[in-house]
Amino acid sequence: MRMNEKQKIRTSKFISLILRHNPQKIGIDLDQSGWACVDKLLAGLAHKGHSISFEQLENIVLMNDKKRYRFNEDKTQICANQGHSLKLDLELDEMEPPEILYHGTASRFMKSIQHQGLIKGSRHHVHLSKDQETARSVGSRHGFPIILTISAGEMHQAGHTFYCSENGVWLVDSVATKYFHSTP
Ligand code: HQG
């Protein structure tokens, strides 16, 4: 069956839910690094009304606007690149960050953020972007967007560990208030 753009986005969002937060929703397991068996994923999706072919899954992985998922080499396994809330060992490599990174948030969170810094909440990490445009669109998901400029280079020098996901999202455990300011 051909999928239109709307169906593709709906199914892609459902795959995010499965691979980041709740594989049990379709009765599958992820291994300790977050990988799912492609055949089991497809069978589980079909069972919940998201019946897609392997080729359609390939297309979703390839065309996804933020490159949210990746296959292993022989495409028998699939995982989400970032955004998990499940306790996993994502096998991320430490990397030296650029001097400046950005975090997009919403104005309603600012009082708490000014008080306790950026915390990861239910996710594995605080998510940071390379550019302000991406940060703005991330922040807009939660309300009126505020962009925080993060002194990532300074944090790194002070011993904080940074990771970069396969799809270019920078990840860190937390950001103390002394390392950011909001951009007017
Ligand atoms: C905020 C999307 C109060 C934080 C995006 C954010 C990203 C605080 C919200 C990825 C806080 C958490 C993650 C504090 C942080 N007090 N609020 N101390 N510290 N916050 O959705 O970063 O499209 O869990 O600023 O592109 O918005 O799903 O994190 O506003 O890469 O692929 O708490 O999700 O990717 O919200 O987004 P989220 P996020 P996808």
Side-chain angles (χ1 to χ4, degrees), residues 6-7 9 28 35 41 57 59 64 72 98 101 105 109 111 114 140 151 158 162 164-165 173 179-180:
K6 220 166 147 188
Q7 287 167 323
I9 291 172
I28 66 167
W35 291 92
L41 175 72
L57 180 65
N59 184 266
N64 189 261
N72 66 344
L101 287 169
T105 189
F109 297 141
K111 200 170 164 207
Q114 298 287 14
S140 305
S151 306
F162 284 77
C164 188
S165 69
D173 237 21
Y179 292 121
F180 62 76

Side-chain angles (χ1 to χ4, degrees), residues 13 16-17 19-21 66 68-69 80-88 90 92 103-104 109 118-128 138-139 141-142 167 169-174:
K13 285 194 170 170
S16 274
L17 171 73
L19 295 180
R20 290 171 170 179
H21 311 296
K66 286 196 192 163
R68 290 181 176 87
Y69 326 104
N81 281 322
Q82 35 71 227
H84 302 79
S85 60
L86 290 162
K87 293 280 157 276
L88 299 164
L90 295 174
L92 295 160
H103 177 82
F109 297 141
L118 289 170
I119 56 167
K120 57 190 173 183
S122 62
R123 305 216 192 222
H124 275 229
H125 301 98
V126 172
H127 288 222
L128 306 173
V138 172
R141 290 156 52 248
H142 300 291
N167 58 343
V169 177
W170 283 89
L171 306 165
V172 70
D173 237 21
S174 60

Side-chain angles (χ1 to χ4, degrees), residues 10-26:
R10 237 185 88 236
T11 301
S12 178
K13 285 194 170 170
F14 191 63
I15 293 173
S16 274
L17 171 73
I18 302 303
L19 295 180
R20 290 171 170 179
H21 311 296
N22 191 2
Q24 278 307 318
K25 195 168 178 74
I26 58 166

Side-chain angles (χ1 to χ4, degrees), residues 87-114:
K87 293 280 157 276
L88 299 164
D89 173 11
L90 295 174
E91 297 176 332
L92 295 160
D93 290 326
E94 261 186 71
M95 272 175 80
E96 186 176 338
E99 208 48 48
I100 296 295
L101 287 169
Y102 301 95
H103 177 82
T105 189
S107 52
R108 64 194 168 100
F109 297 141
M110 281 310 292
K111 200 170 164 207
S112 163
I113 290 174
Q114 298 287 14

